[in-house]
Amino acid sequence: MSPASGTDREPSALPVLVLVDADSDARERISIALGRRFGADYQVQVGGNALEGFALLERLAKEGARVALIAADLALSHEEGGISFLERAHVLHPHASRVLLVAMDRRGTRIPFSALAALRRATALNRIDFWVVKGGFSPEEWLYLRVQEALSAWTRLHGPHHEVLRVVGEQWSPRSHWLRETLSRNTVPFGFYPADSERGRELIQAHGVDVTRLPAVILHDGSVIHEPTAFHIAQALGVQTKPSSQVNDLVIVGAGPAGLAAALYGASEGLRTIVVEERAIGGQAGTSSMIRNYLGFPRGVSGADLVFRAWEQTLLFGAEFVFAQRAIGLGSRNDLHSLMLSNGDEVLGRAVVLAFGVEYRRLGVPSLEQWTGAGLFYGAAGTEAPALAGEPVCVIGGANSAGQAALHLSQFASHVTLIVRGAALEAGMSSYLVAQIRATSNIEVRLRTRVAEGHGTERLAALELEDADGRRGTIPTTAVFAMIGAQARTEWLGPAIRRDEDGFVLTGRDLPSDARTGVQPPLPFETSVPGVFAVGDVRRGSIKRIAEAVGEGSVAVGSVHQHLARSHQSVLHQDSPHGP
Ligand SMILES: Cc1cc2nc3c(=O)[nH]c(=O)nc-3n(C[C@H](O)[C@H](O)[C@H](O)COP(=O)(O)OP(=O)(O)OC[C@H]3O[C@@H](n4cnc5c(N)ncnc54)[C@H](O)[C@@H]3O)c2cc1C
């Protein structure tokens, strides 16, 4: 074992990168390369086999060192391969990124089939976070990018980071939860300081925070916004909250994957495009901890990463975004569609794409609902997970989003109980997630079970569960994440936009023949009002997947072009002296 780090700061205070590889040449090359590139911020420590590597990890755990990354070679030694080594290492250092190093075949052209099969299995069972194919000529080609990605992911969750805003509030109040989630989903770097912590008290005193009006946001210039709304924060950060005055070709409601795709294709094809978003870029997709089924990302991609790339791309093509405003009404004015916004602004457009997704269904258990935002959370677990380290938590739901939340939480919580009404996980969840859940030792699945009550005095402390035979039992829990399906929030659209009995918007061929206000047959994704389209989760018949939302948002722009051409022709027709 030898340290291979070159740093001028106190080395023992730095987080550690651990490399375990039995091939001494490879070990030396990789550790030198890692030290050269990352040595100023991390210590690099190496082990020559599984035994040595594990002793090193045990020592680091005893010393309380922060291990950011553990890289192990797939063919580590005869006794133990890299995958099972990383699995054992994870128990000692649950927050470290697990990176598997895979050697090329002898010709140096491809990964051997046996290694590929092992990789597939390790990825499917969530035993590794990243993998790297060893051996390109320069570490720039094969090593640095992957290690950097792993370290960025680790730093986002566990490392110190830049704070644009400081928030002081009660850790478990619904308003604090809402604020933390809104800031994280919009990737605003912030620090949260509980009002009863030492640092919280210091901030309160230094900035004259009124403790009766928490949470409070302290801005970079030291000024304070008490009990802020999304609108206040957006304005303080200089984010656009008002539409520019022009008439638009295309108005999009919602900046989830469907809205972003429509904005990208609309703006890139020369349409003046504006997007109105109430809460955060990326919609539900932005809350997904790891998306593995989106084309082009063999190692998976975090929802936040995917949607922020899409947003940047859309901005570069010239789409305009208006944030922290909710669309509350749709009508028409001067032959244009008119969208009313929550603070009284109006946006005009020749065509409208409705891409505002769905909302979580509520549990409706009063003794539990009273903890909403303070122990009961609707939706993904991203923001709250680190605060739940070592605590028992529950996830309710049997679909992919619940499975992902359980896996994400299992990295922090002592125990995760996944509560599912159905008789089998396979009924609602992709098989890769089912396999990962079964392979995760601190996730317990309770099938054919429902939540009957929530118990607690100052905080949620326990859940009372009831199985299909009516037997009840209580389990301790600090937090509950509910993902029990979604409902469309489409009442604000008014009767002209036809919906099904559950509120989902009818489009194209799904529209009954008497539903159209125009004479032409509906275009693909067109609603009962000509020129208004609906895509993604809010559309009746959508399959609630990111790829589908992106596909529909892109394709609908083709229909928008056809609609604009139709209306142009009808204007010409009306203006023509030869017209009827
Ligand atoms: C935790 C989680 C994990 C998931 N993981 C996966 C996965 O791994 N793979 C996969 O394929 N799918 C996954 N999904 C499903 C996927 O995210 C959705 O199918 C997809 O995001 C739908 O896209 P959308 O654009 O139609 O709607 P949404 O993503 O819901 O976006 C709608 C947007 O509209 C905004 N909005 C709503 N009403 C208004 C209004 N009146 N005015 C202005 N704005 C409004 C909302 O704030 C939101 O930003 C996951 C979902 C969740 C919740």
Side-chain angles (χ1 to χ4, degrees), residues 357-429:
V358 289
E359 193 178 71
Y360 287 106
R361 197 164 274 141
R362 303 272 145 174
L363 282 164
V365 176
S367 56
L368 187 54
E369 294 291 350
Q370 63 171 318
W371 305 108
T372 302
L376 169 63
F377 303 101
Y378 285 97
T383 329
E384 303 302 336
L388 294 165
E391 303 280 332
V393 302
C394 292
V395 176
I396 309 174
N400 281 358
S401 50
Q404 280 184 5
L407 284 167
H408 183 61
L409 282 160
S410 70
Q411 296 172 42
F412 301 88
S414 59
H415 188 82
V416 181
T417 309
L418 179 60
I419 300 159
V420 184
R421 251 175 188 272
L425 271 189
E426 288 78 358
M429 212 176 273

Side-chain angles (χ1 to χ4, degrees), residues 456-499:
T457 45
E458 283 175 16
R459 283 189 50 194
L460 177 68
L463 273 194
E464 196 168 320
L465 303 179
E466 184 177 288
D467 70 15
D469 302 318
R471 280 186 304 246
R472 286 195 176 200
T474 302
I475 57 165
T477 192
T478 305
V480 174
F481 295 85
M483 275 160 256
I484 53 167
Q487 57 199 18
R489 292 188 307 177
T490 48
E491 311 76 30
W492 64 272
L493 289 172
I497 305 280
R498 296 284 282 267
R499 277 106 65 191

Side-chain angles (χ1 to χ4, degrees), residues 220-496:
H220 60 282
D221 62 0
S223 59
V224 179
I225 316 177
H226 290 95
E227 299 176 323
T229 62
F231 195 72
H232 291 140
I233 296 168
Q235 285 195 317
L237 295 176
V239 173
Q240 184 175 351
T241 52
K242 285 184 91 55
S244 59
S245 52
Q246 294 104 336
V247 170
N248 302 279
D249 297 315
L250 176 57
V251 176
I252 299 166
V253 185
L260 286 170
L264 178 74
Y265 284 92
S268 68
E269 290 168 16
L271 301 179
R272 180 185 284 281
T273 301
I274 186 168
V275 185
V276 177
E277 167 57 47
E278 174 191 13
R279 184 93 197 267
I281 282 291
Q284 298 167 68
T287 69
S288 176
S289 44
M290 183 55 79
I291 298 162
R292 290 207 184 269
N293 61 352
Y294 192 68
L295 190 70
F297 292 89
R299 293 170 176 82
V301 58
S302 84
D305 200 6
L306 180 70
V307 300
F308 271 85
R309 284 166 187 242
W311 180 48
E312 273 183 3
Q313 198 176 5
T314 311
L315 280 178
L316 291 175
F317 278 118
E320 178 182 345
F321 282 79
V322 170
F323 288 106
Q325 288 234 49
R326 178 172 174 70
I328 54 168
L330 182 63
S332 62
R333 189 155 70 85
N334 299 340
D335 288 336
L336 293 167
H337 298 288
S338 144
L339 192 73
M340 292 308 302
L341 306 187
S342 42
N343 74 351
D345 287 321
E346 182 188 32
V347 185
L348 296 174
R350 298 189 170 87
V352 174
V353 169
L354 306 173
F356 57 92
V358 289
E359 193 178 71
Y360 287 106
R361 197 164 274 141
R362 303 272 145 174
L363 282 164
V365 176
S367 56
L368 187 54
E369 294 291 350
Q370 63 171 318
W371 305 108
T372 302
L376 169 63
F377 303 101
Y378 285 97
T383 329
E384 303 302 336
L388 294 165
E391 303 280 332
V393 302
C394 292
V395 176
I396 309 174
N400 281 358
S401 50
Q404 280 184 5
L407 284 167
H408 183 61
L409 282 160
S410 70
Q411 296 172 42
F412 301 88
S414 59
H415 188 82
V416 181
T417 309
L418 179 60
I419 300 159
V420 184
R421 251 175 188 272
L425 271 189
E426 288 78 358
M429 212 176 273
S430 299
S431 54
Y432 77 93
L433 281 171
V434 176
Q436 287 181 0
I437 285 169
R438 296 223 167 102
T440 307
S441 59
N442 64 339
I443 302 183
E444 176 193 356
V445 181
R446 298 262 190 125
L447 297 170
R448 289 162 40 97
T449 301
R450 72 171 193 97
V451 176
E453 301 286 349
H455 297 293
T457 45
E458 283 175 16
R459 283 189 50 194
L460 177 68
L463 273 194
E464 196 168 320
L465 303 179
E466 184 177 288
D467 70 15
D469 302 318
R471 280 186 304 246
R472 286 195 176 200
T474 302
I475 57 165
T477 192
T478 305
V480 174
F481 295 85
M483 275 160 256
I484 53 167
Q487 57 199 18
R489 292 188 307 177
T490 48
E491 311 76 30
W492 64 272
L493 289 172

